[in-house]
Amino acid sequence: MYMLHRFERPLWFLGSVLVALGFIGIWQIVASSGLVSNVFLPGPDRTFRALLAGLESGVLTGKFFSTVQHMFYGWFIASLIGISLGAIIGTSRMAQVYVAPSLELLRPLPASALVPVAIAFLGLSTSMVLFIIGFGALWPMLLSTIHGFTSVEPRLNEVSRILRLTKMQYIFKIALPNAMPDILAGMRLSLTVALILAVVGEMLSGQDGLGQWILASGRMFRSPDLFAGVILLGALGYMSATLLTWFEQWVLRWRNEG
Amino acid sequence: MPSVDQASEAMTAKGARGHGEVIISFENLSLSFGSKLILDNINLDVARGEFLCVIGPSGCGKTTMLRLLAGLLTPSAGQILYQGLPVSGPRPDVAVLFQDYVKALLPWRTVFGNVSLALEAAQVPRKLRRDKIMAHLELVGLADHAEKYPTQLSGGMQQRLQIARCLAQDPEVLLMDEPFGALDAMTRQALQDEMQELASVSGCTIFFVTHDLEEAVYLGDRVIGLLPHPGRVGREFEVNISRPRDQLTTPEKPEFLQLRHELYSFIKLVEHG
Amino acid sequence: MDLKQTIVDRPSHINWRALVLPILVILGLEIGGHVLPLETEFWPVPSQIATAGWAALLNGSLLNATLETLTAATLGLLLGGSVGLAGGITLGLFPVANKLLTFSIEAVRPIPPTAIIPVALLVLGAGMTMEVSIVAFSAAWPILIFTRSAIQSVEPRLIEVSKVLCLGFFSRVWKIVLPAALPRIFVALRLAVAIALVVCVTVEVTANPIGLGYGMRVAQQALRPDLMFAYLVWIGVVGWSLNLLLTSLQKLLVWRQADEGR
């Protein structure tokens, strides 16, 4: 019984990997049987060959890193603006009364609706792509930062008053650490949004990247290349989320211990 | 922990000093929220070094009195004088110990960091902080837990940590709002005794709000009984029980039993009109 | 600090202070557009945008596009929502299935929905079906994840109660598990509605010649910035109204539960 308990988690994991392999097997069978046209559905064999070829020749690697760059820069700019603006609004009564409701008004606006506007003003350029990513990624950051800053435990506000913390001390020693869990949740959401919009931006602008690659591959009926690009985008989404989880665990280590 | 000898010496000294110079005085103090009168014309003097306990049924405004004294609230009429000057806001030498230690500590800072906050607020240079913090942690018996986070501590230890942060303010006056109310009986008794010692060693004036009559008699030099709706001073009880007091013999002394009886009757009388 | 400021905090009550900034911005843009030497073909002022929007509303093109977008969003939501709900309930009720599918789900979930656009274009071609399928793919995930965790976290005592009452499997699910998980599933639904609208507009802007997103693209390419901004404002209004609608529905639901609890 003890041994069984100890190996339970790895065994389940192994089981779930086997199930996933089973799905890939089914995919292969469906593709090889010709039930679905090969033009639409390449088998895993052709997809992985395309993926390997693309990685070896460096074409896909290059596209991958272009997308990483777009995504990261846009996200980073959004995080900087979102956190600082959120901190200002979150600590100012005036801003909460006069500015915050307008943000609520803008929030439901889909970021992609700004694409035509961005194209009209910035053209099909990298700045357009970064603007779209930045705009979309800004909202989750901004709103969660405001929430984090305004949800300080009232008792801690009293402690700050008793200790006569200055406004700056209050922001950096109380409000910001208190907002960290919210800020990180916002960062996580905006990272997802950043990837989604990086793909959109690249598709529309034709700027180098996986988004442009999959759209071009699809138009030329090179479905293995298309699927390879989609797989890489999934991998990128997974890796960025994992990295952020590590970062989160490190920043919020006070939560995990005990 | 300081040795018992030191502590008892200090306590004798304190006994002598008990009713000396007035450090805090409430002068015709009233507070209302809107049309509701919370505190009505409170007049009360607290002597330097005194351990003053405030009891009363819920709704008598004992916590409100403490918050006014801390400068967290402003009176509607009258004033509180602290060392002769009106209280207008929180002061560096007045510390507050809250009952809900879970909410009053910074969960993202270690034990060390939580004590450090008080020194950072007082602009103590970084170099000097470490020794001071460790000394305070030593005093409350948390020196071995300096790198832990509050959530890793038991309730009693968390409250000790809050005490350490208060002491790090190097306060003249310590305001305590039902500080041991949320703890289990054993821990509460241990902390009561530690508080007794800390009070005598530091020479702080203590304003101690509680709803536990025995705790008030056990710790206080004087107990103020408040009446509710609106809150006002009902009766004062002098506690003439020699120090040091201890959990085993003190509650068996006739003076203790007598006072406990009087306080109990007072509260019963209040509650049943 | 805990007061949450919104423009409409109660029906029939408008928070005027919240309107100061939007009104100032609109007035500023209007006056700035007339005073500054800008080309209004490029920088339309609010009144021009309103005129263009009004015209599009009257000739039916705006409403038609809205109808297309909302149809795609609704169909996609229904499809993806039911798949997500069924999957979430199954995975929540059967831990074995959940553990065995963990890897497959974690492998597919991180794919950004927009990456599906070329695949859907290739397989289904442009049109309503393609848009619906992408919306379904996007909306299914949050519903699945939320439903699964909502069911997993149903108070164990309630499950014990249902066992003690000897309820059969289906009545246990229908009478105990689902009602208990409903508030959290509703939160997921609200999220999914927002996602559906965003995805629709994204697909239309990017690749699909229907709906509001495409209307915006056409306006932009036809060098009609006034109409383009009118579409933008309109999309915002649609998103905002949907959000308001769902928030009120959610309040109603929570209120009913609280009421029944008495």
Side-chain angles (χ1 to χ4, degrees), chain B residues 101 154-160 179-180 182-195 215 247:
Chain B
Y101 43 82
S154 68
M157 286 158 98
Q158 291 187 40
Q159 194 55 300
R160 283 196 181 93
F180 311 137
L183 300 170
D184 64 90
M186 291 294 285
T187 313
R188 183 159 62 232
Q189 290 186 350
L191 274 168
Q192 284 168 354
D193 286 349
E194 283 171 31
M195 206 55 239
E215 183 175 66
Q247 297 285 355

Side-chain angles (χ1 to χ4, degrees), chain A residues 155-156, chain B residues 97-106 114 150 153-163 165 178-184 191:
Chain A
R155 186 64 87 218
L156 281 187
Chain B
L97 190 73
F98 294 102
Q99 178 184 14
D100 40 6
Y101 43 82
V102 179
K103 293 181 185 167
L105 295 170
L106 309 182
N114 265 284
L153 304 179
S154 68
M157 286 158 98
Q158 291 187 40
Q159 194 55 300
R160 283 196 181 93
L161 173 55
Q162 210 194 158
I163 293 173
R165 184 174 70 196
E178 304 196 24
F180 311 137
L183 300 170
D184 64 90
L191 274 168

Side-chain angles (χ1 to χ4, degrees), chain B residues 79 81 101 192 239-240:
Chain B
Q79 59 182 353
L81 295 180
Y101 43 82
Q192 284 168 354
V239 184
N240 292 312

Side-chain angles (χ1 to χ4, degrees), chain A residues 153 155-156 158-159 161-165 169 173-174 177-178 253-254 257-258, chain B residues 67 71-72 90 92 96 98 100 103 106-109 120-121 149 152 165 169:
Chain A
E153 167 61 44
R155 186 64 87 218
L156 281 187
E158 284 183 4
V159 169
R161 285 179 64 196
I162 295 286
L163 292 175
R164 309 205 308 166
L165 296 183
Q169 279 179 327
K173 293 178 198 288
I174 309 281
N178 181 74
R253 57 196 178 283
W254 54 271
E257 296 187 31
Chain B
R67 292 167 62 83
L72 290 172
V96 179
F98 294 102
D100 40 6
K103 293 181 185 167
L106 309 182
W108 53 82
R109 283 194 178 207
E120 291 162 30
Y149 289 97
Q152 294 171 292
R165 184 174 70 196
Q169 274 183 263

